[in-house]
Amino acid sequence: MAERPAGARLLPWPSRDGGPAYLPAHGAHGPVAALADEIEAAQLATGAEVLRCARPLMADPNATARELRFTACRLAECLTDALRIADSRGARLTEQG
């Protein structure tokens, strides 16, 4: 991951080039920060729902390889989102502390 600018917040979406996107510290309480908060909440809720649906499928001995592969891909997407959120929030806690 590219180096985070001092005081910047890692956003829950990629930049135009696919790399990390950051919000400068001076925007910490503006509309982009509020949108980022909403998207993070939606991503975490989606992850919880995907996990809730995945558990019975993974326990099903009749689940097909295609179903399991699809489920694994969705879980990986949700984990990627959750790790980005954790990185963003962890950095902000470190800066506050």
Side-chain angles (χ1 to χ4, degrees), residues 34-55:
L35 177 61
D37 291 342
E38 289 176 27
I39 290 175
E40 286 179 353
Q43 288 173 325
L44 292 173
T46 298
E49 180 66 13
V50 169
L51 182 58
R52 186 189 67 75
C53 294
R55 283 191 168 126

Side-chain angles (χ1 to χ4, degrees), residues 7-81:
R9 174 184 179 171
L10 176 63
L11 294 170
W13 55 79
S15 66
R16 288 184 185 185
D17 66 1
Y22 296 101
L23 177 65
H26 67 272
H29 301 291
V32 175
L35 177 61
D37 291 342
E38 289 176 27
I39 290 175
E40 286 179 353
Q43 288 173 325
L44 292 173
T46 298
E49 180 66 13
V50 169
L51 182 58
R52 186 189 67 75
C53 294
R55 283 191 168 126
L57 181 69
M58 292 184 301
D60 182 354
N62 297 317
T64 66
R66 176 179 244 168
E67 290 170 325
L68 293 171
R69 198 168 26 259
F70 177 84
T71 300
C73 288
R74 303 299 73 83
L75 288 168
E77 290 167 354
C78 293
L79 179 58
T80 299
D81 291 342

